[in-house]
């Protein structure tokens, strides 16, 4: 595997289900991100992890719960979602340099989520 | 308020017809401007990073330029395979993305 991989690629779930999205990066980066992409809207940054520590949480509802067990793996745990949460969820990774910020991000193919 | 605006929203070109896409931004403390290409059903693919006004980067038929207020992605003699959505993003305290320009190149 190379780059950033995401599973599953497609997910359909009911509002009472619990599911998890998985992301793995093979680039040796130290920062990972979750984004939400909805039609006609800019990518919405949800969470940022730097060296496994969560550094940003952009007012995301608690029904989305991230987990970063190491610098290569990132999960997004989902529970009691709403239909408006249907979107493409993208994972990305980049190299973070102390004092210089984050370099360009490399994205996975995304998980297309549909909430019924 | 930090924001990124891309124009036009959609662009149709004949094969070989050169044009430019615009990304204007208002951020405090620009730490990088990024261009991505996104094909339907796929994640964005990184193209360029620009850090300072006057900087230019090229890749095949694409050339990105940066001023203090905007960036242009110039497409020279486009081909149908250049059809995609092109996203611009800036980094200040965090990443801000534009809504993209959907480019269609007609054979």
């Amino acid at each position: 595997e190379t780059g950033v991989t995401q599973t599953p690629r497609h997910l359909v779930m009911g509002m009472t289900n619990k599911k998890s999205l998985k992301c793995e990066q093979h680039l040796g980066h130290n920062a990972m991100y979750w984004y939400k992409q909805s039609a006609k809207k800019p990518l919405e940054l949800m969470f940022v992890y730097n060296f496994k520590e969560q550094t940003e949480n952009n007012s995301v509802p608690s029904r989305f719960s991230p987990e970063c067990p190491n610098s290569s793996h990132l999960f997004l745990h989902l529970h009691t979602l709403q239909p408006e949460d249907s979107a493409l969820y993208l994972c990305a990774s980049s190299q973070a340099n102390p004092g210089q910020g984050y370099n360009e991000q490399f994205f996975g193919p995304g998980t297309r989520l549909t909430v019924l | 308020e930090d924001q990124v605006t891309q124009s036009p929203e959609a662009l149709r070109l004949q094969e070989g017809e050169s044009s430019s896409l615009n990304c204007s931004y208002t951020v405090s403390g620009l730490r990088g401007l990024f261009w991505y290409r996104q094909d339907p059903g796929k994640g964005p693919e990184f193209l360029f990073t620009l850090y300072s006004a006057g900087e230019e980067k090229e890749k095949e038929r694409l050339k990105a330029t940066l001023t203090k207020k905007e960036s242009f992605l110039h497409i020279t003699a486009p081909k149908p395979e250049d059809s995609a959505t092109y996203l611009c993003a800036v980094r200040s305290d965090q990443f801000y993305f534009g809504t993209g320009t959907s480019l269609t190149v007609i054979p």
Side-chain angles (χ1 to χ4, degrees):
Chain A
E1 295 278 16
T2 58
V4 180
T5 59
Q6 290 187 242
T7 55
R9 294 293 311 276
H10 301 272
L11 178 62
V12 179
M13 58 188 290
M15 290 191 287
T16 58
N17 291 157
K18 290 185 180 181
K19 296 286 184 183
S20 295
L21 310 185
K22 179 183 176 182
C23 174
E24 184 173 0
Q25 61 98 359
H26 309 268
L27 300 170
H29 292 157
N30 55 16
M32 297 187 76
Y33 313 76
W34 279 117
Y35 282 90
K36 176 183 179 181
Q37 186 174 35
S38 304
K40 303 293 185 182
K41 289 186 176 181
L43 268 70
E44 299 174 49
L45 180 63
M46 300 174 72
F47 302 103
V48 181
Y49 277 83
N50 187 344
F51 290 100
K52 301 188 298 176
E53 299 295 323
Q54 187 179 128
T55 58
E56 291 184 44
N57 175 344
N58 286 352
S59 303
V60 180
S62 59
R63 58 186 183 268
F64 295 92
S65 175
E67 178 189 0
C68 188
N70 55 61
S71 59
S72 298
H73 293 85
L74 186 64
F75 295 89
L76 188 63
H77 303 299
L78 317 171
H79 65 96
T80 59
L81 294 191
Q82 304 298 311
E84 59 263 30
D85 296 322
S86 298
L88 182 67
Y89 288 84
L90 292 163
C91 173
S93 71
S94 73
Q95 189 63 24
N97 301 309
Q100 297 180 19
Y102 298 91
N103 290 350
E104 55 274 0
Q105 299 170 328
F106 291 83
F107 286 83
T111 294
R112 173 65 64 185
L113 174 66
T114 302
V115 181
L116 302 176
Chain B
E1 178 181 334
D2 293 351
Q3 64 178 11
V4 178
T5 303
Q6 291 189 247
S7 62
E9 185 174 323
L11 181 63
R12 289 172 63 89
L13 299 173
Q14 290 290 332
E15 184 173 1
E17 179 187 3
S18 301
S19 188
S20 295
L21 313 182
N22 177 262
C23 171
S24 62
Y25 60 91
T26 54
V27 295
S28 52
L30 179 71
R31 303 177 77 173
L33 184 141
F34 310 92
W35 281 99
Y36 292 86
R37 168 192 171 128
Q38 186 172 24
D39 293 296
K42 295 186 177 181
E45 173 190 347
F46 169 72
L47 293 174
F48 304 108
T49 305
L50 302 168
Y51 289 106
S52 56
E55 189 175 357
E56 299 181 353
K57 293 275 181 72
E58 283 190 70
K59 180 180 179 180
E60 296 179 356
R61 295 177 292 282
L62 301 177
K63 179 180 177 180
T65 61
L66 181 63
T67 72
K68 289 186 177 180
K69 294 184 178 180
E70 58 191 350
S71 176
F72 292 93
L73 184 65
H74 307 277
I75 303 177
T76 302
K79 298 182 178 181
E81 53 262 41
D82 295 322
S83 297
T85 295
Y86 291 85
L87 299 173
C88 168
V90 298
R91 170 79 194 186
S92 54
D93 58 332
Q94 60 175 286
F95 284 96
Y96 299 91
F97 277 82
T99 52
T101 293
S102 176
L103 173 66
T104 302
V105 182
I106 304 163

